[in-house]
Every structure is written in structure tokens, then in C-alpha cells.
Amino acid sequence: MSESHRHPLVISPHFDDAVLSCGELLAARPGARVCTVFAAPPTENMTTDWDRRAGFADAFEAIKARTEEDTRALAILQATPLRLPFCDAQYLAPPSHDALVSALRQTLTESEADMLMAPLGLFHADHMLTARACLALLIDTPGLAFYVYEDIPYRRIEGAVQARLAELSSLGYTATPAEELQAPADRRAEREHMELKREAIGAYRSQLRAFGPNARASLFAQERYWQVRRKNA
């Protein structure tokens, strides 16, 4: 099957990660599903440095507003949001590996997707936890087209991508540049997809505030993907 005709499920650690790292791909594939892993508020309310930078008084306010931002962003790209009931690292209650794998496996089954887009797993604890859990899906889902995207903005950290690719190799996986998922040859379509991505990123107003003006330019970097396979498969 041509990759352009597959039904993708994009796994997004946080509300904005899929759009930041895969926005053009989503624009090119209306109807794709985006599963945000760390989408739940903490059991007890709290205030964190990141939420304050984003303009929120507390975690409950932050999750409510960020969910609304994410809904608007994904609507621009005609993507369907799915959300898991886990808290991100700043709320100090990470899920176990087994719980995360189980939830992702159920989501993949229910979505009937035949193409999984997972984070490469750079820098941030939530990204690394999500990446490890997604690899488990590759092991027990024969025939699944499995890709990873380079996590924006963390891929700008010197040596981060190369170190992670080397780690995947040591764990028994091959990662091949997925040129078939890069920008389309049609320049008009490419521009349209880029415009839609920019509009969708703009919906994450609180996160743009937290990133600050000096970091925003890095959010519009070219998307890059790798197809991952088990070496002995």
C-alpha cells in the first residue's frame, strides 16, 4: 500500500507535539487521528513553573485551556483528537510503562490505523517514556508501518538525534530516512500544508507564550521522519 493512502495514528506526548513535529503530514492526510498521551490534570491541583510561563494560575486551568487549544489546532488540520488519562512529568505522577503500553495498544486497535507515527524520544522525560512504550507496539503488531518523527524543538539539541538513533540500533532496530513522508513535489500543495501548520501552531497561544519569542523560530523547522523496523523481523 502507498504510504499516502495509509491511515495514520500520530502519538503526541503533549497537546502540541504532533502539530509541531507532524503538522504538514497531518495537513496532507485529513482524517488522521492524534492521540495525546499526557492529557489529564493531576488529581490534586498545583502550580508549576511551565504553567505559570504559559499564563495559567494552576494545573486545572492549564489543562482545560490547553485541551481547548488542541481541539482548535487539530480541527484546522482536520485531525481527530484522542486523549489518554495520564499526567505529564511536571505533575509528578507518571504512568508505569505497562499501563502506557496497554493504553496505546488499545488505542491503536480501536483506531484501526495501519500506520503509527511515534516520537523519536528526545530530551524530555515524557517523550522518552512515550517512545519506549510505542516500540512495544512495533514488537507485538506484525505488519504495522512504524515511523518516528524528530521531536521539535528538542531535535535542535546538538547530537540528540544521532544519539537516539544509535540507541535504537543497540536495542535491535533499524531506522531509515522516510523520504516518502517528506514535503510533496507539488509546490502549491506544500505551501498549503505549511500555511495550515502555521495556523494550527498559532492555536497553541499559551505554549507560544511559554516558549517565548526567541524560541518560536525553531518551531517551524522542516519535519523529518524515520521508518523503524526490528533487525531480525
Side-chain angles (χ1 to χ4, degrees):
M1 179 186 294
S2 167
E3 300 308 294
S4 63
H5 291 91
R6 288 188 180 273
H7 304 288
L9 172 66
V10 180
I11 306 300
S12 184
H14 305 112
F15 287 112
D16 53 358
D17 290 313
V19 173
L20 292 177
S21 299
C22 308
E24 292 178 53
L25 181 142
L26 290 169
R29 292 165 172 78
R33 291 174 171 82
V34 173
C35 175
T36 301
V37 174
F38 301 99
T43 303
E44 296 184 5
N45 205 0
M46 63 177 70
T47 301
T48 66
D49 289 341
W50 182 261
D51 285 345
R52 279 194 295 266
R53 286 173 59 184
F56 301 120
D58 55 49
F60 288 176
E61 179 184 349
I63 293 297
K64 181 177 184 298
R66 293 192 66 188
T67 301
E68 293 169 353
E69 290 175 348
D70 189 54
T71 297
R72 288 193 293 271
L74 295 182
I76 291 167
L77 300 173
Q78 299 183 54
T80 300
L82 307 171
R83 289 160 186 146
L84 298 183
F86 302 120
C87 298
D88 72 32
Q90 67 175 329
Y91 300 138
L92 308 177
S96 70
H97 173 75
D98 289 345
L100 185 48
V101 170
S102 178
L104 287 171
R105 183 182 293 116
Q106 181 177 350
T107 300
L108 176 62
T109 299
E110 293 176 351
S111 73
E112 299 183 344
D114 53 8
M115 174 182 181
L116 188 73
M117 310 294 301
L120 182 55
L122 304 179
F123 179 70
H124 195 293
D126 290 337
H127 286 241
M128 292 187 286
L129 185 62
T130 301
R132 287 195 297 271
C134 287
L135 284 176
L137 302 183
L138 175 58
I139 292 173
D140 63 13
T141 313
L144 178 67
F146 189 100
Y147 295 86
V148 294
Y149 57 83
E150 294 187 8
D151 318 42
I152 294 175
Y154 303 126
R155 79 173 198 205
R156 296 180 70 245
I157 299 171
E158 185 175 359
V161 171
Q162 292 78 6
R164 177 58 176 158
L165 293 175
E167 181 182 15
L168 287 176
S169 180
S170 72
L171 292 172
Y173 300 94
T174 62
T176 307
E179 297 179 0
E180 68 276 14
L181 299 183
Q182 303 306 322
D186 184 336
R187 292 297 182 182
R188 180 177 178 180
E190 182 181 359
R191 287 195 298 270
E192 289 176 351
H193 298 163
M194 291 178 64
E195 287 297 322
L196 286 170
K197 177 177 179 175
R198 284 185 173 272
E199 185 180 353
I201 290 177
Y204 296 106
R205 294 180 180 179
S206 68
Q207 302 313 288
L208 293 176
R209 187 182 303 117
F211 279 119
N214 294 331
R216 290 185 189 180
S218 67
L219 304 181
F220 298 96
Q222 181 181 4
E223 297 172 7
R224 289 202 296 261
Y225 304 95
W226 301 79
Q227 184 164 19
V228 175
R229 299 182 177 90
R230 297 177 67 193
K231 289 182 179 179
N232 298 324

